[in-house]
C-alpha cells in the first residue's frame, strides 16, 4: 500500500481521480484529517460523492452524517440506504439527522434496500420531484404494508419524474402483488424491472400505454382468461425478460405488439410449446429477434412413455431454422414426480442465474453439434447442490464457474469439486449436515480455504452425534457474517446458552464476526455477546425469554426492547423486526 508521503507527491488532479474509484465512506475514513491539503480536496474540490451505506459500521455512518454530509450534500451524485440486518433502521436514522432529499440537488441515482416503512416510502417518493437530475431509482427487497390506492400514488410520483430513465420496482406490498398501474404518462422511463407481482394482460397493456419510451422490461406475466386482448403496441422495446404462466395464444397476442424486439429472455411454466410452434411465432411476429434465451417446464402426456415425448420435443427443435439459420441449440430432459411427468428444456448456453436440478433424470439430450458443447453454465450465480441431483453421468458434466451463493449438504461427494471447481466468486454459503461423518469438518475447512471472497456463512441443520452446534472453530480470512439460525423452522431454532455464547465469542469465526444471527437462552446472553465480541457491528437475535405477543402488545410497552435500551449504550440502535417479530435487531457500533 502506498505511504502517506508517496500519496502527497501526487498532483491534485491525480488524487481527485483516485477518489473517483473509491466509495465516499472509504475516502473520508482513509484521507480526512490527515492534513489540510487532503481536507481541502475532499471538501472543496471533489464533486462526485457516492454514498453507499449498505454495509457501513454505525460509527462511520454517524460520523459521515454528522460531520461531513452537511458540507457536501449538494455534490452527492448517488445514495444507497439499506434497512437490512447489517444496518437495521438505517433509513429512518438517516432522516432523523434532519436531511431532506431535495437538499441532494445533484443526485442522479438513489437506491433503497429492505425498506419496511410505508410512511418513510411515501415521504421519499414525494421528495423525488425535487431532484432535477435523477436518472436511476432502485427499490430492492422492500416489504411494505400498503393498500392498492397508495401503491398507485407511489407509481404516479415515479412516472412523473421528468429525467428518470431506469427504475427497479422491487416492492412487495405485503404479498398483495400490486402491479404498477400509472395514470400519468412517463416521458423518460426506458428501463423497468418489476418484482413480486404477476401481471395480467390488461395490466400489461396499461403499463405499455403509459410508458411509451420503454426499451427494456423485466416482468412476470400470468393471464388465464381467454378474453384478454393486448391493444397497445410499443415500438421502443427491444429487449424483454419475461416469466410467463399462461397460454400460447397470449404469447402470439403479446409479441405482435412488440414490433422491434431484438432480445427475448423468457421462462415459461406449464405451457406446451414445441420447437415448430416457437419457430412460427418468431418468424411471424418477431422478425428482428437476434437473441433468444428460453427455459420451459411443461407437464406432458401421461399416456405415452416420457422418453418418447422428450425425443419428439427435441426433434421439433432440429429444423434448419434452429440449427442453421440461428444456431439456437437446446438441451432437454424429463422427470417423473408424484406420478406427474414433466419436460424441462432450455436454450444453450444456459442464460439464467438460478439452476434448479431435478432428479431422477430421463433422457438428458441436446441438439448441440457435439455432446461436449455447452457444459459450462457461466450465468448461474445461485446453486443448491445435493449429491443425488448430479448422480446421472450426463448431469455430472455440468460445471458452474461463477457461483455467488451456494447451498450444500456435507459431506459432499467426489463429483462436487468437478462440478464446482472454482470458488473465487462465492460470497454466501449455506451449510447443513445430516450424516455423522468425520470428513465434515475437513471438507468445510477446504471450502473456506478456497473461497477468498466469502463473507456470509449460514449454518442450517447440524444433525451429528458429536455436536448440535455448528463448527465455529473452523477458520476463514474473509467471513464476517455468521448466521447460526439457518433457514430452519423458526419455532425450532437451535438455542445458545451462556457456555456456548462464551465458546462462540472466543472462536476464530466469532472473534472476527461483524454481523451475527443467533438465538440465545436469555437476555443476559445478548449483553455478553455485545460486550465481548469487539468486532460485532450488528446483531439479529431471537431471545428465549422474550414475552412479546404481537396481537396483545401492539399498544403496550415492548418490555425486552426497553430493558435492552437501559443496559446498552445509547448509541446502539435497537428495533424489533416488523416481519419476524421475535427477532431483535441491534446496530451496535
Amino acid at each position: 500500500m502506498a505511504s502517506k508521503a508517496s500519496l502527497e507527491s501526487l498532483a491534485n488532479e491525480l488524487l481527485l481521480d483516485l477518489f473517483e474509484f473509491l466509495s465516499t465512506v472509504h475516502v473520508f475514513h482513509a484521507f480526512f484529517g490527515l492534513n489540510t491539503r487532503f481536507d481541502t480536496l475532499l471538501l472543496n474540490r471533489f464533486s462526485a460523492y457516492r454514498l453507499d451505506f449498505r454495509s457501513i459500521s454505525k460509527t462511520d455512518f454517524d460520523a459521515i452524517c454528522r460531520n461531513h454530509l452537511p458540507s457536501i450534500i449538494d455534490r452527492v451524485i448517488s445514495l444507497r440506504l439499506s434497512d437490512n440486518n447489517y444496518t437495521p433502521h438505517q433509513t429512518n436514522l438517516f432522516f432523523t439527522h434532519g436531511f431532506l432529499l431535495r437538499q441532494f440537488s445533484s443526485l442522479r441515482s438513489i437506491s433503497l434496500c429492505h425498506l419496511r416503512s410505508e410512511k418513510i416510502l411515501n415521504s421519499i417518493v414525494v421528495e423525488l420531484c425535487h431532484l432535477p437530475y435523477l436518472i436511476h431509482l432502485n427499490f430492492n427487497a422492500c416489504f411494505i404494508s400498503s393498500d392498492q390506492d397508495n401503491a398507485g400514488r407511489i407509481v404516479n410520483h415515479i412516472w412523473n419524474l421528468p429525467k428518470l430513465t431506469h427504475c427497479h420496482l422491487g416492492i412487495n406490498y405485503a404479498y398483495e402483488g400490486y402491479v404498477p398501474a400509472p395514470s400519468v404518462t412517463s416521458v423518460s422511463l426506458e428501463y423497468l424491472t418489476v418484482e413480486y407481482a404477476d401481471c395480467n394482460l390488461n395490466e400489461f397493456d396499461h403499463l405499455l400505454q403509459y410508458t411509451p419510451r420503454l426499451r427494456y422490461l423485466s416482468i412476470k406475466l400470468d393471464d388465464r382468461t381467454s378474453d384478454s386482448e393486448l391493444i397497445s403496441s410499443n415500438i421502443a422495446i427491444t429487449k424483454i425478460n419475461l416469466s410467463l404462466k399462461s397460454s400460447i395464444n397470449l404469447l402470439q397476442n403479446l409479441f405482435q405488439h412488440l414490433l422491434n424486439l431484438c432480445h427475448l429472455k423468457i421462462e415459461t411454466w406449464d405451457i406446451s410449446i414445441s420447437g415448430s410452434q416457437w419457430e412460427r411465432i418468431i418468424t411471424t411476429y418477431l422478425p428482428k429477434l437476434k437473441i433468444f434465451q428460453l427455459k420451459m417446464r411443461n407437464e406432458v402426456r401421461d399416456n405415452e412413455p416420457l422418453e418418447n415425448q422428450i425425443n419428439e420435443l427435441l426433434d421439433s427443435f432440429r429444423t434448419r431454422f434452429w440449427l442453421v439459420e440461428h444456431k439456437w441449440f437446446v438441451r432437454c430432459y424429463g422427470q417423473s414426480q408424484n406420478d406427474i411427468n414433466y419436460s424441462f428444456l432450455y436454450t444453450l448456453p444456459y442464460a439464467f442465474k438460478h439452476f434448479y436440478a431435478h432428479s431422477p433424470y430421463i433422457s438428458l439430450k441436446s441438439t448441440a453439434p457435439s455432446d461436449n458443447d455447452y457444459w459450462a453454465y457461466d450465468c448461474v450465480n445461485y446453486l443448491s447442490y445435493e449429491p443425488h441431483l448430479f448422480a446421472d453421468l450426463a448431469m455430472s458434466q455440468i460445471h458452474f464457474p461463477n457461483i455467488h451463493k451456494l447451498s450444500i449438504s456435507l459431506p459432499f461427494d467426489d463429483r462436487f469439486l468437478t462440478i464446482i471447481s472454482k470458488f473465487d466468486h462465492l460470497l454466501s454459503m449455506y451449510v447443513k449436515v445430516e450424516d455423522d461423518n468425520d470428513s465434515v469438518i475437513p471438507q468445510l475447512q477446504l471450502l473456506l480455504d478456497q473461497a477468498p471472497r466469502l463473507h456470509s456463512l449460514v449454518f442450517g441443520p447440524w444433525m451429528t452425534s458429536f455436536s448440535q452446534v455448528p463448527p465455529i472453530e473452523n477458520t476463514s480470512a474473509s467471513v464476517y457474517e455468521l448466521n447460526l439460525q439457518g433457514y430452519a423452522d423458526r419455532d425450532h431454532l437451535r438455542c445458545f446458552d451462556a457456555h456456548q455464547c462464551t465458546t462462540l465469542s472466543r472462536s476464530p469465526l466469532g472473534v472476527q464476526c461483524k454481523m451475527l444471527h443467533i438465538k440465545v437462552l436469555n437476555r443476559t446472553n445478548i449483553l455478553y455477546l455485545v460486550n465481548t465480541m469487539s468486532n460485532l457491528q450488528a446483531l439479529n437475535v431471537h431471545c428465549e425469554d422474550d414475552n412479546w405477543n404481537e396481537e396483545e402488545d401492539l399498544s403496550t410497552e415492548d418490555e425486552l426492547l426497553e430493558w435492552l435500551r437501559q443496559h446498552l449504550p445509547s448509541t446502539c440502535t435497537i428495533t424489533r423486526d416488523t416481519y419476524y417479530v421475535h427477532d431483535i435487531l441491534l446496530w451496535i457500533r
Side-chain angles (χ1 to χ4, degrees):
M1 183 175 178
S3 66
K4 175 185 174 185
S6 60
L7 283 172
E8 288 182 335
S9 68
L10 297 177
N12 287 344
E13 289 72 19
L14 289 177
L15 287 171
L16 291 171
D17 288 342
L18 172 65
F19 295 163
E20 288 272 4
F21 290 96
L22 301 174
S23 76
T24 298
V25 172
H26 292 148
V27 167
F28 273 107
H29 191 82
F31 294 101
F32 190 81
L34 291 179
N35 57 42
T36 303
R37 180 192 176 204
F38 282 119
D39 291 354
T40 301
L41 284 175
L42 282 173
L43 296 178
N44 299 331
R45 295 283 303 277
F46 193 51
S47 59
Y49 294 98
R50 295 174 175 85
L51 290 175
D52 188 347
F53 289 137
R54 285 176 298 177
S55 297
I56 191 174
S57 71
K58 190 169 188 300
T59 302
D60 285 342
F61 175 78
D62 288 338
I64 292 287
C65 292
R66 183 175 58 251
N67 301 329
H68 305 307
L69 190 49
S71 301
I72 64 171
I73 195 167
D74 59 341
R75 286 172 283 162
V76 176
I77 62 172
S78 72
L79 174 65
R80 290 178 180 267
L81 296 169
S82 176
D83 288 350
N84 67 5
N85 289 332
Y86 205 101
T87 52
H89 217 49
Q90 182 189 86
T91 306
N92 183 66
L93 286 174
F94 181 78
F95 289 111
T96 59
H97 281 275
F99 303 124
L100 295 174
L101 269 186
R102 66 184 68 188
Q103 294 174 276
F104 294 80
S105 54
S106 298
L107 202 62
R108 301 173 196 170
S109 173
I110 183 169
S111 179
L112 301 166
C113 306
H114 301 275
L115 189 64
R116 297 291 182 88
S117 169
E118 180 183 21
K119 180 180 179 181
I120 293 177
L121 176 61
N122 288 338
S123 64
I124 287 173
V125 296
V126 168
E127 284 281 297
L128 294 177
C129 64
H130 298 288
L131 303 174
Y133 304 108
L134 189 66
I135 298 172
H136 292 259
L137 179 61
N138 178 24
F139 296 98
N140 182 35
C142 297
F143 184 90
I144 305 296
S145 181
S146 182
D147 59 36
Q148 191 162 7
D149 288 341
N150 189 52
R153 285 190 292 269
I154 289 171
V155 168
N156 278 342
H157 280 296
I158 294 171
W159 259 243
N160 257 325
L161 298 174
K163 297 289 184 66
L164 189 71
T165 58
H166 295 69
C167 182
H168 184 113
L169 285 179
I171 304 177
N172 188 334
Y173 289 100
Y175 299 122
E176 293 295 336
Y178 302 141
V179 175
S183 57
V184 297
T185 300
S186 171
V187 298
S188 60
L189 197 55
E190 297 180 6
Y191 302 88
L192 175 64
T193 296
V194 180
E195 291 186 306
Y196 306 120
D198 287 344
C199 184
N200 64 42
L201 201 58
N202 289 331
E203 292 166 333
F204 187 86
D205 188 85
H206 189 87
L207 198 58
L208 291 185
Q209 180 184 349
Y210 286 95
T211 325
R213 298 191 61 178
L214 207 56
R215 297 171 57 188
Y216 168 81
L217 176 63
S218 178
I219 200 167
K220 297 177 182 178
L221 191 58
D222 186 5
D223 197 328
R224 309 287 175 153
T225 61
S226 58
D227 57 350
S228 298
E229 188 75 19
L230 192 64
I231 299 173
S232 302
S233 294
N234 187 300
I235 61 173
I237 292 181
T238 58
K239 182 177 180 180
I240 195 165
N241 185 352
L242 281 177
S243 177
L244 189 66
K245 298 177 183 178
S246 191
S247 67
I248 190 171
N249 292 331
L250 183 141
L251 274 179
Q252 295 175 154
N253 188 6
L254 173 67
F255 292 142
Q256 65 182 300
H257 290 83
L258 302 176
L259 308 179
N260 288 312
L261 199 63
C262 299
H263 185 162
L264 172 61
K265 186 174 185 178
I266 183 168
E267 183 173 3
T268 70
W269 301 87
D270 301 331
I271 309 174
S272 181
I273 310 177
S274 67
S276 56
Q277 289 173 310
W278 271 117
E279 180 178 342
R280 185 164 56 251
I281 291 171
I282 293 170
T283 54
T284 304
Y285 304 114
L286 304 174
K288 297 184 178 182
L289 193 65
K290 301 297 181 185
I291 299 175
F292 179 56
Q293 297 166 322
L294 169 68
K295 181 163 66 169
M296 294 195 307
R297 189 200 78 166
N298 296 336
E299 183 177 337
V300 296
R301 303 181 298 273
D302 58 4
N303 58 353
E304 185 179 342
L306 181 54
E307 186 165 1
N308 292 350
Q309 296 184 65
I310 295 299
N311 291 332
E312 179 184 333
L313 180 60
L314 267 181
D315 286 342
S316 71
F317 284 88
R318 285 195 168 103
T319 66
R320 178 179 178 82
F321 172 87
W322 295 103
L323 303 182
V324 179
E325 294 178 15
H326 294 284
K327 293 183 171 58
W328 289 337
F329 308 116
V330 300
R331 182 165 286 143
C332 184
Y333 63 90
Q335 180 196 25
S336 183
Q337 185 178 31
N338 298 327
D339 298 324
I340 301 176
N341 291 332
Y342 296 97
S343 66
F344 296 85
L345 180 143
Y346 47 83
T347 49
L348 299 171
Y350 189 82
F352 298 83
K353 290 184 178 181
H354 295 80
F355 184 82
Y356 300 108
H358 307 273
S359 180
Y361 304 99
I362 299 173
S363 191
L364 179 70
K365 300 177 180 180
S366 84
T367 62
S370 168
D371 289 339
N372 297 321
D373 291 338
Y374 301 109
W375 292 108
Y377 286 37
D378 298 28
C379 290
V380 176
N381 300 142
Y382 307 94
L383 180 70
S384 178
Y385 182 88
E386 298 284 352
H388 68 277
L389 297 178
F390 293 90
D392 182 88
L393 181 61
M395 288 296 290
S396 66
Q397 297 179 76
I398 298 175
H399 55 278
F400 304 94
N402 195 28
I403 295 299
H404 295 179
K405 188 173 183 179
L406 173 67
S407 173
I408 184 169
S409 296
L410 297 180
F412 55 73
D413 59 346
D414 294 338
R415 288 180 295 272
F416 173 70
L417 292 178
T418 59
I419 291 172
I420 309 178
S421 58
K422 294 175 59 179
F423 299 88
D424 298 8
H425 302 284
L426 187 63
L427 303 176
S428 175
M429 183 164 62
Y430 172 80
V431 179
K432 63 179 178 179
V433 170
E434 296 175 345
D435 295 323
D436 190 356
N437 192 301
D438 291 340
S439 67
V440 166
I441 304 299
Q443 282 191 352
L444 176 59
Q445 190 60 56
L446 176 66
L447 296 180
L448 295 176
D449 290 342
Q450 295 189 26
R453 299 175 61 193
L454 182 70
H455 69 257
S456 177
L457 182 58
V458 184
F459 288 107
W462 196 261
M463 306 302 182
T464 67
S465 61
F466 57 83
S467 176
Q468 290 299 314
V469 177
I472 49 181
E473 295 297 331
N474 280 85
T475 59
S476 166
S478 59
V479 169
Y480 60 79
E481 179 175 356
L482 197 57
N483 188 333
L484 303 176
Q485 294 183 3
Y487 303 132
D489 179 354
R490 301 190 68 83
D491 292 328
H492 298 89
L493 298 174
R494 71 172 63 85
C495 188
F496 280 62
D497 58 23
H499 174 71
Q500 292 166 330
C501 286
T502 300
T503 303
L504 168 64
S505 68
R506 297 173 180 173
S507 68
L509 290 176
V511 167
Q512 68 191 45
C513 182
K514 295 181 180 179
M515 171 69 224
L516 176 64
H517 306 250
I518 193 171
K519 180 178 180 180
V520 296
L521 192 59
N522 60 63
R523 61 192 67 191
T524 60
N525 303 141
I526 299 176
L527 300 184
Y528 176 83
L529 293 173
V530 171
N531 292 326
T532 60
M533 298 178 68
S534 58
N535 288 310
L536 193 64
Q537 296 179 6
L539 176 64
N540 179 334
V541 60
H542 184 123
C543 187
E544 187 75 6
D545 69 350
D546 181 8
N547 298 317
W548 176 263
N549 184 303
E550 183 180 13
E551 295 181 358
E552 297 177 2
D553 295 343
L554 287 175
S555 60
T556 61
E557 182 181 85
D558 193 325
E559 185 268 336
L560 178 56
L561 259 61
E562 290 304 316
W563 187 90
L564 290 171
R565 286 168 182 153
Q566 292 172 13
H567 290 82
L568 290 172
S570 59
T571 54
C572 181
T573 299
I574 307 167
T575 58
R576 189 177 289 275
D577 192 285
T578 56
Y579 184 66
Y580 295 117
V581 295
H582 287 287
D583 284 3
I584 307 299
L585 310 177
L586 291 86
W587 196 10
I588 303 163
R589 54 176 73 89

